[in-house]
Amino acid sequence: MTPEAASAPTPTRELGVAELAVIIPTLNEYGNVAPLVERLDRVLADVAWEAIFVDDDSTDRTREAIYAIARRDPRVRSLHRIGRRGLASACIEGALASSAPYIAVIDADMQHDESLLPEMLRTLKSEPLDIVIGSRYVAGGGMGELSARRVRISGLATRLGRRILRAEIADPMSGFFMVRRDAFDRAVRNLSAIGFKILMDLFASSPEPLRFKELAYEFRRRAYGDSKLDSLVVWEYVMLVGDKLVGHIVPVRFLSFALVGGIGLVVHLGVLGTSLRLLGFPFEISQAAATLIAMVCNFTLNNVLTYRDLRLRGWGFLRGLVSFFLVCAAGAVANVGVGTVLFDTLALPWWAAGIAGAVVGAVWNYAVSGVFTWRKRAKA
Ligand SMILES: Nc1nc2c(ncn2[C@@H]2O[C@H](COP(=O)(O)OP(=O)(O)O)[C@@H](O)[C@H]2O)c(=O)[nH]1
Ligand SMILES: [Mg+2]
């Protein structure tokens, strides 16, 4: 036993030391905060627990609801993130804000069955396991009243997830689980922290296979408010899978940026052809219009897909658009400059010089727009 472990006090409620941290990501969950804490208090009566709400700058009164409880109950804490989005990163940062040896992740909306938490903890403490998963797909579990479309998408993602993880997890898409801190700590530096699927990320990021067990529960109806999921969750899942597969070679954001660039090229040629052939405008005007439209298109797509977590809105969108224009203009100069040097001076074939220039331009655009256009803001 290490000296630290020997001198560490056993978690006791008298000292207010938590054995179990319950991490609750929130985004506009005002009405769910108090009822959830009440339920935790009831089902975890025999456990030294703490709850950490990780709120991504909700615009309803979610934080007021959290503070109202936290000011009289030291077991409840709030972690307020500004200018950030993402369920997975919220859960990770919540876990990092605690030192409890057991970490549970549960949604705020009561869709996960909190009465399973004591059994999860007992199981994790008494069996040689790293993680216990609340599962909708083992006997006794269920999808509740989730719409047929959501059930279909979830089923597809689940099958893909199992294949990627090469682990026979019935419900790798579950957002309800409890993990030992040591297992979490071993994986934390490799986590992608993209999108919604934190459990899958943990499995894929752990240096050794996680020893797991699934406990059944029935997915319930959301208590208050609306789902934050939209169709882009599928895209985020693709980004997570991409990051796990090739993220160690090239950043998945860059791949998304390059993909958007490819779409921009198609748009450019479409506008150029239409303007030139169908509308009969001269080349310079057609090319200028195509460049402008393709840039707006690229900016908008990158804003929604590549930088979804830092998405610009309102005036921020317009400011971002202008800065993206300037960045891309400089990128075009670099592109032409490098291409010309390679073609003229080094006598590379035209297509090789062209590709090299385009790659330099794309890397420039990606790197510089990441700093100036979609920079992490201190203000939302
Ligand atoms: N902090 C944070 N929480 C989020 C974010 N998106 C969703 N959540 C929370 O994550 C939980 C699950 O989200 P929900 O919309 O219910 O997903 P669904 O159950 O799959 O429809 C809820 O507690 C949400 O408030 C986010 O970007 N940041
Ligand atoms: Mg939900």
Side-chain angles (χ1 to χ4, degrees):
M1 194 184 269
T2 62
E4 292 85 359
S7 62
T10 340
T12 61
R13 268 185 293 174
E14 292 73 39
L15 284 172
V17 177
E19 179 176 34
L20 171 68
V22 183
I23 313 301
I24 310 156
T26 55
L27 192 63
N28 298 333
E29 301 287 0
Y30 166 67
N32 290 322
V33 171
L36 179 61
V37 174
E38 257 167 48
R39 288 185 187 201
L40 290 178
D41 195 31
R42 206 171 330 125
V43 299
L44 294 173
D46 299 324
V47 177
W49 60 275
E50 66 181 353
I52 302 179
F53 285 90
V54 187
D55 184 61
D56 278 354
D57 216 17
S58 290
T59 48
D60 65 356
R61 286 172 295 147
T62 300
R63 271 183 319 288
E64 279 175 40
I66 301 168
Y67 293 162
I69 300 170
R71 281 177 188 148
R72 53 184 161 75
D73 187 341
R75 297 172 302 180
V76 175
R77 287 196 279 142
S78 159
L79 180 57
H80 180 186
R81 304 197 309 167
I82 298 173
R84 305 276 306 284
R85 278 296 298 275
L87 176 55
S89 64
C91 294
I92 294 163
E93 286 164 35
L96 290 173
S98 153
S99 46
Y102 298 95
I103 303 159
V105 169
I106 189 169
D107 285 358
D109 57 8
M110 252 81 78
Q111 291 197 277
H112 298 153
D113 187 351
E114 69 290 331
S115 66
L116 199 61
L117 288 168
E119 193 188 338
M120 287 170 131
L121 185 61
R122 264 194 309 277
T123 310
L124 205 48
K125 285 167 89 171
S126 60
E127 297 181 28
L129 295 170
D130 297 309
I131 189 163
V132 175
I133 303 165
S135 175
R136 300 163 291 184
Y137 296 129
V138 292
M143 293 297 277
E145 296 170 26
L146 213 61
S147 74
R149 184 170 158 270
R150 285 282 303 268
V151 171
R152 249 198 334 274
I153 294 179
S154 179
L156 201 73
T158 299
R159 283 194 293 281
L160 181 62
R162 279 191 207 129
R163 187 157 299 176
I164 288 167
L165 295 177
R166 279 177 260 120
E168 274 312 306
I169 310 170
D171 194 358
M173 299 298 120
S174 175
F176 182 31
F177 60 89
M178 192 182 292
V179 61
R180 298 174 63 94
R181 157 121 3 229
D182 48 4
F184 174 81
D185 282 351
R186 279 195 295 275
V188 72
R189 286 186 170 74
N190 301 330
L191 289 168
S192 301
I194 297 172
F196 261 60
K197 300 303 168 197
I198 166 76
L199 179 67
M200 182 159 154
D201 200 355
L202 258 178
F203 269 86
S205 305
S206 181
E208 289 116 39
L210 290 174
R211 298 165 300 168
F212 68 95
K213 183 169 187 175
E214 294 183 78
L215 299 179
Y217 83 98
E218 176 90 23
F219 201 62
R220 295 186 300 212
R221 184 201 278 271
R222 178 176 251 283
Y224 157 93
D226 303 313
S227 169
K228 312 302 172 309
L229 275 197
D230 52 29
S231 45
L232 283 175
V233 70
V234 175
W235 173 252
E236 289 193 326
Y237 184 61
V238 171
M239 296 270 274
L240 173 62
V241 171
D243 191 55
K244 284 293 167 254
L245 294 177
V246 298
H248 53 290
I249 304 169
V250 53
V252 70
R253 255 201 231 271
F254 179 71
L255 293 182
S256 167
F257 195 84
L259 179 77
V260 168
I263 296 172
L265 185 64
V266 173
V267 170
H268 184 108
L269 292 178
V271 174
L272 180 62
T274 310
S275 168
L276 208 59
R277 292 287 165 86
L278 286 182
L279 305 176
F281 284 111
F283 184 84
E284 308 87 270
I285 292 184
S286 304
Q287 176 75 343
T291 306
L292 204 70
I293 291 172
M295 256 206 266
V296 173
C297 171
N298 277 11
F299 173 75
T300 311
L301 282 177
N302 276 321
N303 195 40
V304 174
L305 300 178
T306 313
Y307 288 101
R308 176 163 154 71
D309 51 336
L310 298 170
R311 190 161 166 185
L312 302 165
R313 294 165 202 271
W315 284 112
F317 182 91
L318 283 182
R319 259 200 313 275
L321 183 62
V322 172
S323 92
F324 188 71
F325 265 46
L326 295 175
V327 169
C328 291
V333 172
N335 174 345
V336 174
V338 168
T340 310
V341 167
L342 293 179
F343 184 69
D344 285 349
T345 320
L346 298 180
L348 247 59
W350 62 266
W351 52 268
I355 291 176
V359 168
V360 168
V363 171
W364 162 278
N365 289 349
Y366 170 70
V368 182
S369 69
V371 175
F372 289 108
T373 309
W374 288 282
R375 63 176 181 271
K376 294 217 161 75
R377 291 146 294 159
K379 291 201 302 289

